[in-house]
Amino acid sequence: MSMEDTIADRRFSIDRATLIRRLREVLPVQALLAEEEEMRPYDCDGLTAYRQLPLLVALPEDEAQAQAVLKVCHQLQVPVVPRGAATGLSGGATPHPDGVLVSLAKLKRIIRVDPLSRTAVVQPGVRNLAVSEAAAPYGLYYAPDPSSQIACTIGGNVAENAGGVHCLKYGLTVHNVMRVRGLTIEGEIVEFGNAALDAAGYDLLALLNGSEGLLAMITEVTVKLTPKPELAQVVIASFDDVRKAGDAVASIIAAGIIPAGLEMMDKKAIHAVEPYVNAGYDMDAEAILLCESDGTPEEVAEEIGRMTAVLERSGAAGIRVSQNEAERLKFWAGRKAAFPAVGRLTPDYLCMDGTIPRKRLAEMLEAIAALSGKYALRCANVFHAGDGNLHPLIMYDANQPGELDRATAFGSEILELSVRFGGTITGEHGVGIEKILLMAEQFTEAEIGAFHRLKAAFDEHGLLNPGKGVPTLARCREYTQARAGTASPAPRL
Amino acid sequence: MDTLIEHWTARINEAANAGGKLAIRGGGSKSFYGGPENGEALDVGGYRGIVAYEPTELVVTARAGTPLAELAAALAEKGQWLAFEPPYFGPAATVGGMLASGLSGPRRQAVGAVRDFVLGVKLLNGLGEVLSFGGQVMKNVAGYDVPRLIAGSLGTLGVVLEVSLKVLPLPVAEKSLRFALDEAAALQKLNQWGGRPLPISASAWHDGILTLRLSGAAAAVAAAQRALAGEVLDDAEAAAFWSSLREQTHAFFAGNPPLWRLSLPSVAPPQALGPTLIEWGGAQRWLRAGDATAIRAAATQAGGHATLFRADDALKTAVGVFQPLTEPLARIHRNLKRAFDPQAVFNPGRLYPGL
Ligand SMILES: Cc1cc2nc3c(=O)[nH]c(=O)nc-3n(C[C@H](O)[C@H](O)[C@H](O)COP(=O)(O)OP(=O)(O)OC[C@H]3O[C@@H](n4cnc5c(N)ncnc54)[C@H](O)[C@@H]3O)c2cc1C
């Protein structure tokens, strides 16, 4: 039983020639790829360990073409997998062997930036950072800032409910999106939310966020823009003990402070990053915390003072405060480059994404260190500490027999522990195919059944991104039985 | 399993088998809201108590029947609160009713709504199954976001048993300011200020007066107070004013004419449909009386929607409480209702006729 098998749990028998003919009728020539070498670049997303060629790749250039593709696929009962920039780390955009991979990357127009209402209307293929760049002349920005923001798309952000280093204070994607326009699998245009603060009826907009392309294809998004704070400053505190750093996080919150960002990196992560970007991190530290304050100059001065006091009381070995914007960006550059920096140290890595109550941070780090020994694989840790969201980066070499399996088992143990600690298997990267079996760790069969019925409320025949997000009940039972043989089942929390 | 839950499960199954209907009641404080109650009462107010609260985690978990006042008191003891300022509409208001009605108070414009603070729910669905979605952590994308879907669903999808909510520290400082402005000028100002990094936590315009509330760090509030000028309100008077909006005890809400709530883009121009009170930086507009067809059309035209917030049952039945849904949204609503409550046991017609 391995994760990529779950995609093929449901096979579809498709007449490829007919499908190509029908799609050619609705798409320009260059917008349909059918040759293996043309489709090869689309065979995976950021979860590069799993590759799969789709039946076809469609590259619609506008909503009408996307709609036409869906109508054809729905009529012929062909699965459809939406794709943005493919930076997703859980295999959400991994193709289906019998399906059409629909890339929304060409829908990349910023339709409107309205400074007065503080909103922007963008197509789904617009990059996250491009929205903030377009809003910058008005003193506004788009708050959610995933580290992948130069590449990932707004459509992908909505589909994953992406977070960033500032989401403790400014919220996740779901808190910053007002309206999603999309297409049902039947190819009908549907509007979730609106330009006001709420819409009539059930909050379907909330459901669309984090739906991993399983409920609708997103074709347009209205995002909320946030006024840029007058000033931001970041404190770097180094600790000689990860437990002290973990406790400092809880103490900051206990002091009534909600930092604009609160991030943690362990020694392995610091050692990966520092030679790569020279951010000025303390190479002797066991862990560092980055703690940001923003607001008016008076407010920032007051808050930095309180933060520094708490960090000192928590036993920080060294504290530095950014003295200007260039230095603040330099301090953050290290954190934002953590994944690629680790990528330089290893042929391959798996990025985990569990979230736990903050008070278990130190305990979790110790458990990860022990697992690193057990599986004989290195692991660097970067955390959205303020949210309790962990990103252990498990380093492996796919060319060494057995290493991928070991890395996967290592990751699974971390996620099982996350659930046992009262948390979740995924905070922001999504379930995709990567964590699909682990859903059985977190949810009962009745809950999984409810998810399937919810999905069917949008997509009766299960054509949108099949095999992702929610496991079949058969897979759940298989998983639970396998677990029962190897370990005691996690208690229900 | 808890004996109360067992008892409810039995009643749900019985109703499901016999084509019966159940009207879920917390404290009954928001009974006025939504379509008429219909079915045998299922009183969930008895299922109460705070299950877990750890201030440093910024999360509280409470049973649905917990009185809101009890929850607020426990949070205040630790210097925290529900930052979206939920309305109580009476001392009996419960956590479950707050979530199911999805209503937020004056601070919504600054921090978000109930749905933005819900982290997890435990639900009893129409099949009598106890289901947990979300959890007690800030970020969680495992499975669909059912907790937020439940916010505002008016008990039509299931009985909420337990709710986990994000809580925040109480603001350190607060000041309210007053300006004499007509409606159009007030809307213009509210939107301009909204684009600046000012700590505005609430706003209200009525009858030629715009009132603003600033909340946050002492230094930030003081700086904004200087920058905006305006007449400073006495603290006690200001607190009473914002509470009168939240609880709708303000004179504007008195009397019999139907009360409409228009949810519009903040930049929508004055609607000239009748006596108006504006909140949320222009995004929430209360209206007394008026012609339902004209109001609904105006709200749609402006890019929002209109709710018949308070009225007698006859008017509610005649024009509907909530803005009618267009296909395919209506179809998705029907399908979702079936997914959670296949025999349509819970709160029939409370949200939409037939739902
Ligand atoms: C170096 C690196 C750093 C990262 N840092 C972060 C981080 O800080 N925070 C974070 O949250 N994530 C992070 N990620 C993960 C990833 O960038 C996000 O999940 C992002 O939101 C994916 O966007 P995308 O455009 O690449 O989507 P894709 O990977 O193409 O797709 C992701 C999912 O969305 C669906 N989808 C895409 N577009 C649409 C659409 N138009 N309609 C419907 N469904 C659609 C796909 O089917 C798939 O299920 C990081 C990834 C990398 C590689």
Side-chain angles (χ1 to χ4, degrees):
Chain A
M1 174 170 74
S2 77
M3 34 177 120
E4 76 268 40
D5 295 343
T6 67
I7 297 191
D9 266 349
R10 242 184 99 201
R11 294 304 298 257
F12 298 73
S13 99
I14 310 293
D15 174 356
R16 191 169 185 264
T18 304
L19 180 62
I20 292 177
R21 181 172 53 74
R22 293 288 305 278
L23 289 175
R24 289 231 191 280
E25 288 167 13
V26 297
L27 286 174
V29 218
Q30 72 279 8
L32 188 70
L33 312 181
E35 300 299 326
E36 183 180 330
E37 58 273 26
E38 304 176 300
M39 298 199 293
R40 195 48 79 190
Y42 296 88
D43 71 356
C44 71
D45 63 6
L47 186 71
T48 51
Y50 300 95
R51 292 173 189 274
Q52 170 66 54
L53 274 182
L55 200 59
L56 295 169
V57 174
L59 304 158
E61 289 159 6
D62 56 28
E63 185 186 69
Q65 288 178 14
Q67 181 177 30
V69 169
L70 285 178
K71 283 187 169 160
V72 169
C73 289
H74 182 248
Q75 201 191 1
L76 301 178
Q77 294 286 292
V78 178
V80 169
V81 179
R83 170 181 160 122
T87 66
L89 293 167
S90 55
T94 308
H96 192 285
D98 306 323
V100 178
L101 185 83
V102 180
S103 166
L104 283 306
K106 286 192 177 167
L107 275 69
K108 56 173 183 220
R109 211 154 46 80
I110 295 179
I111 296 166
R112 179 162 72 240
V113 176
D114 179 7
L116 194 60
S117 67
R118 291 142 280 140
T119 55
V121 180
V122 305
Q123 290 189 325
V126 170
R127 292 172 306 109
N128 173 295
L129 190 61
V131 180
S132 285
E133 284 167 355
Y138 309 103
L140 301 168
Y141 73 111
Y142 176 60
D145 57 343
S147 304
S148 50
Q149 69 185 149
I150 51 168
C152 65
T153 68
I154 292 293
N157 287 174
V158 172
E160 300 288 13
N161 189 14
V165 299
H166 291 98
C167 58
L168 178 61
K169 184 165 174 182
Y170 293 101
L172 305 159
T173 302
V174 68
H175 302 109
N176 289 279
V177 164
M178 303 174 71
R179 166 185 161 269
V180 166
R181 181 180 160 101
L183 296 164
T184 66
I185 183 65
E186 291 88 359
E188 283 168 292
I189 291 171
V190 56
E191 298 256 348
F192 305 103
N194 53 33
L197 292 181
D198 45 52
Y202 295 141
D203 195 337
L204 303 183
L205 179 63
L207 270 188
L208 256 283
N209 280 276
S211 62
E212 301 193 21
L214 273 83
L215 301 184
M217 181 174 285
I218 299 159
T219 56
E220 198 175 288
V221 183
T222 303
V223 300
K224 193 175 108 184
L225 301 173
T226 303
K228 249 201 216 112
E230 278 179 58
L231 180 69
Q233 270 186 302
V234 64
V235 186
I236 298 192
S238 33
F239 291 86
D240 56 13
D241 176 3
V242 290
R243 194 167 276 277
K244 286 187 199 163
D247 292 344
V249 171
S251 302
I252 287 172
I253 306 288
I257 302 169
I258 302 293
L262 185 53
E263 297 283 313
M264 182 165 159
M265 295 166 77
D266 75 353
K267 187 162 203 152
K268 285 224 173 58
I270 299 166
H271 280 236
V273 158
E274 189 52 28
Y276 179 47
V277 287
N278 299 310
Y281 297 163
D282 179 356
M283 295 281 281
D284 296 325
E286 287 299 318
I288 59 166
L289 283 185
L290 287 155
C291 185
E292 182 152 286
S293 171
D294 65 13
T296 61
E298 301 89 341
E299 191 179 5
V300 172
E302 183 184 306
E303 195 168 73
I304 292 278
R306 291 169 67 208
M307 286 171 171
T308 312
V310 175
L311 291 166
E312 273 166 2
R313 269 204 309 280
S314 306
I319 290 181
R320 289 169 64 198
V321 181
S322 65
Q323 293 306 311
N324 51 52
E325 188 61 9
E327 192 172 46
R328 183 182 79 89
L329 294 176
K330 191 175 93 164
F331 287 173
W332 276 116
R335 167 60 189 89
K336 291 213 172 183
F339 293 8
V342 167
R344 292 193 332 149
L345 304 183
T346 172
D348 304 283
Y349 68 86
L350 280 182
C351 173
M352 293 297 114
D353 179 41
T355 302
I356 56 171
R358 293 177 200 89
K359 63 175 177 214
R360 311 297 287 264
L361 277 179
E363 210 179 326
M364 178 57 106
L365 276 171
E366 282 163 15
I368 290 173
L371 288 171
S372 178
K374 172 175 165 185
Y375 289 102
L377 292 173
R378 290 174 300 161
C379 181
N381 288 291
V382 293
F383 293 161
H384 300 298
D387 308 300
N389 185 199
L390 323 165
H391 291 323
L393 300 165
I394 301 170
M395 297 177 242
Y396 71 99
D397 181 351
N399 291 324
Q400 298 301 317
E403 279 211 8
L404 172 60
D405 289 341
R406 257 160 48 221
T408 306
F410 184 172
S412 296
E413 282 210 50
I414 296 175
L415 298 185
E416 285 158 16
L417 206 54
S418 300
V419 175
R420 218 160 311 157
F421 280 176
T424 174
I425 55 172
T426 175
E428 60 181 15
H429 294 167
V431 174
I433 53 169
E434 183 206 21
K435 296 180 268 293
I436 192 161
L437 299 176
L438 286 160
M439 285 289 279
E441 191 75 37
Q442 195 168 331
F443 296 100
T444 63
E445 281 190 22
E447 287 154 1
I448 298 282
F451 286 146
H452 284 303
R453 289 194 300 276
L454 187 156
K455 154 84 169 164
F458 287 79
D459 173 18
E460 191 187 344
H461 302 292
L463 293 176
L464 264 174
N465 218 356
K468 313 282 178 66
V470 184
T472 60
L473 288 174
R475 286 285 181 192
C476 289
R477 286 181 200 134
E478 224 181 301
Y479 175 87
T480 320
Q481 278 158 17
R483 281 276 291 153
T486 57
S488 57
R492 282 285 301 162
L493 291 151
Chain B
M1 201 196 281
D2 195 286
T3 51
L4 261 183
I5 299 180
E6 266 173 33
H7 171 66
W8 295 335
T9 308
R11 285 195 57 194
I12 292 167
N13 290 335
E14 198 182 302
N17 291 332
K21 308 290 169 202
L22 296 172
I24 308 169
R25 278 193 146 227
S29 69
K30 296 166 190 78
S31 303
F32 68 87
Y33 183 60
E37 276 186 354
N38 191 348
E40 251 180 82
L42 184 75
D43 266 302
V44 294
Y47 192 67
R48 61 171 67 184
I50 293 171
V51 178
Y53 174 37
E54 280 190 68
T56 60
E57 299 295 330
L58 299 176
V59 178
V60 67
T61 301
R63 291 188 170 153
T66 311
L68 259 186
E70 184 181 318
L71 178 65
L75 298 177
E77 224 173 87
K78 303 290 181 190
Q80 296 184 335
W81 69 327
L82 298 176
F84 49 95
E85 284 186 319
Y88 287 47
F89 297 143
T94 64
V95 171
M98 171 194 82
L99 180 70
S101 60
L103 304 175
S104 310
R107 223 159 177 270
R108 195 267 173 256
Q109 71 173 95
V111 296
V114 189
R115 61 88 94 165
D116 294 307
F117 287 82
V118 187
L119 302 173
V121 293
K122 197 156 134 190
L123 196 71
L124 192 52
N125 71 2
L127 300 166
E129 297 170 327
V130 175
L131 308 171
S132 287
F133 300 104
Q136 287 81 44
V137 288
M138 293 292 139
K139 291 164 88 176
N140 189 348
V141 292
Y144 301 109
D145 199 343
V146 176
R148 291 186 217 282
L149 172 71
I150 298 301
S153 63
L154 279 177
T156 57
L157 298 176
V159 181
V160 177
L161 298 175
E162 235 174 73
V163 188
S164 294
L165 294 159
K166 178 177 175 178
V167 297
L168 284 176
L170 282 159
V172 177
E174 206 138 78
K175 255 316 156 223
S176 293
L177 309 174
R178 200 167 262 175
F179 307 81
L181 288 169
D182 68 28
E183 187 177 355
L187 285 169
Q188 179 76 9
K189 278 276 180 232
L190 284 170
N191 281 290
Q192 284 169 351
W193 287 333
R196 287 166 52 189
L198 295 164
I200 297 174
S201 69
S203 56
W205 178 89
H206 177 56
D207 211 8
I209 303 286
L210 174 65
T211 313
L212 279 193
R213 185 179 61 189
L214 308 169
S215 311
V221 169
Q225 188 184 330
R226 277 193 304 276
L228 294 172
E231 175 201 342
V232 180
L233 265 73
D234 167 72
D235 287 349
E237 187 194 341
F241 174 74
W242 296 112
S243 152
S244 77
L245 290 184
R246 192 191 67 198
E247 298 301 325
Q248 302 193 341
T249 52
H250 186 282
F252 174 84
F253 297 99
N256 282 327
L259 175 68
W260 286 88
R261 171 183 181 269
L262 275 65
S263 173
L264 304 183
S266 62
V267 292
Q271 299 294 305
L273 291 161
T276 300
L277 188 147
I278 300 177
E279 288 190 274
W280 298 1
Q284 176 167 264
R285 305 188 192 186
W286 300 98
L287 193 66
R288 298 313 299 261
D291 156 15
T293 314
I295 292 173
R296 287 244 152 87
T300 308
Q301 168 73 24
H305 63 104
T307 306
L308 182 50
F309 203 80
R310 278 177 209 268
D312 53 41
D313 282 354
L315 183 59
K316 284 189 189 175
T317 310
V319 306
V321 171
F322 299 100
Q323 189 98 10
L325 300 169
T326 51
E327 292 290 333
L329 285 181
R331 185 185 71 226
I332 296 172
H333 274 68
R334 287 191 300 271
N335 291 347
L336 277 175
K337 169 72 175 176
R338 242 194 324 275
F340 283 87
D341 180 18
Q343 301 302 322
V345 170
F346 299 123
N347 286 2
R350 194 78 202 268
L351 192 59
Y352 285 104
L355 206 65

